Amino acid sequence: DQQVKQNSPSLSVQEGRISILNCDYTNSMFDYFLWYKKYPAEGPTFLISISSIKDKNEDGRFTVFLNKSAKHLSLHIVPSQPGDSAVYFCAASGGTYKYIFGTGTRLKVLA
Amino acid sequence: DAGITQSPRHKVTETGTPVTLRCHQTENHRYMYWYRQDPGHGLRLIHYSYGVKDTDKGEVSDGYSVSRSKTEDFLLTLESATSSQTSVYFCAISESRERNRGGYGYTFGSGTRLTVV
C-alpha cells in the first residue's frame, strides 16, 4: 500500500523550460513534505520542504506547491538546467520523525 | 555536510551468508535510519533508531536486524542473505525530532551496493 506515489517514472524537459514533478499521498495525517534529489552513486540530498500550514514554498529556482484537499504536491523547477538531471523523491511525514518516500521520478534536462 | 559514512561501499555475498553493513556518524545526531532503494519501490525504511539501544522496525524489516551500541554507529545485519535483498542500502541521520519535523529531513550517506548471488 503505497502512501506516497509519484506516478511519472520519468520526465524529459528542454533546458530553460519549466520542470513539474508531481507527488500524491493518501494519508491525511501527513503534515510535512520534503523533496530530495539524487544523482547516481550518491545519497539523496535535501532540496526543499513544505509544511501543511502553507501552500507554497520557494527557494531560488525551486518551488513546492501543496494542495491539501487533493492530497497533492508538486515541485516546479524554473528554468531547468542540465545539472538538474537526477532522480527526485518526495517524502511525507505525519506526527513522527519518520518519512515515507515515493518511488521517484527521473528528470532529464535536455541541452 | 554532515559527517556520515557507510561501509563497505560495495559488497558481493553468497546466498545464506550473514552480512553486516555499517553506518558511522560524527554529528552526534540522535536519530538514525536504514533505507533500501529498489527500482519501482523508491526508498523504503528497514529499521530506525531513536537513541542508543533504542530501535524499531520500519516497513520492510523481515530478514534484517540492527544494533546501536554507540551514538555514532548503527549496524544493519542480514541474518542469512537472499537474492531479494540485493539492493542499494542508505543510512540516514537526523538531529532531533523538532528539526526533523521542521522540514529539515534527513542527511543521507552515500550508500552501500549489496549483491547477493
Side-chain angles (χ1 to χ4, degrees):
Chain A
D1 182 23
Q2 193 79 24
Q3 296 187 68
V4 179
K5 301 176 186 177
Q6 294 176 257
N7 292 319
S8 298
S10 63
L11 175 69
S12 291
V13 171
Q14 208 65 34
E15 181 180 5
R17 305 295 293 268
I18 185 171
S19 295
I20 300 176
L21 294 91
N22 295 304
C23 179
D24 297 295
Y25 61 97
T26 57
N27 190 338
S28 58
M29 298 301 292
F30 288 150
D31 61 352
Y32 271 98
F33 305 88
L34 311 175
W35 283 95
Y36 277 82
K37 175 177 171 179
K38 185 185 179 304
Y39 292 119
E42 294 183 10
T45 55
F46 172 75
L47 194 57
I48 194 169
S49 66
I50 190 167
S51 90
S52 59
I53 63 172
K54 295 184 176 181
D55 53 20
K56 177 182 173 182
N57 189 27
E58 236 175 310
D59 184 1
R61 297 186 296 114
F62 302 91
T63 302
V64 56
F65 295 91
L66 176 62
N67 182 334
K68 289 187 291 293
S69 60
K71 295 191 182 68
H72 176 82
L73 65 155
S74 60
L75 175 68
H76 292 211
I77 306 172
V78 55
S80 301
Q81 300 173 353
D84 296 328
S85 297
V87 177
Y88 290 79
F89 292 99
C90 64
S93 170
T96 75
Y97 43 82
K98 295 183 293 178
Y99 279 88
I100 305 296
F101 285 78
T103 51
T105 295
R106 183 177 303 276
L107 173 66
K108 188 170 184 179
V109 180
L110 307 169
Chain B
D1 285 351
I4 174 171
T5 54
Q6 292 184 233
S7 59
R9 290 297 310 273
H10 302 271
K11 185 169 182 67
V12 180
T13 192
E14 292 187 351
T15 299
T17 60
V19 177
T20 295
L21 309 183
R22 182 185 185 228
C23 178
H24 179 78
Q25 59 143 331
T26 58
E27 300 300 312
N28 201 35
H29 284 359
R30 178 180 175 186
Y31 299 96
M32 298 185 76
Y33 311 82
W34 277 107
Y35 280 84
R36 60 179 287 177
Q37 184 196 2
D38 303 289
H41 292 279
L43 291 158
R44 292 180 292 173
L45 181 64
I46 306 171
H47 281 280
Y48 62 98
S49 169
Y50 45 96
V52 173
K53 296 188 180 177
D54 291 322
T55 64
D56 207 345
K57 296 178 180 179
E59 331 166 46
V60 289
S61 59
D62 287 348
Y64 301 95
S65 63
V66 290
S67 67
R68 191 167 178 203
S69 58
K70 298 184 288 186
T71 299
E72 56 266 35
D73 289 324
F74 192 32
L75 304 180
L76 176 71
T77 297
L78 287 64
E79 314 278 341
S80 175
T82 67
S83 58
S84 65
Q85 293 176 311
T86 292
S87 186
V88 181
Y89 292 85
F90 289 101
C91 176
I93 61 175
S94 64
E95 181 176 0
S96 66
R97 185 178 190 275
E98 290 69 32
R99 279 186 67 85
N100 197 25
R101 296 286 296 130
Y104 293 94
Y106 310 144
T107 300
F108 281 89
S110 299
T112 294
R113 181 173 293 277
L114 176 69
T115 303
V116 182
V117 298

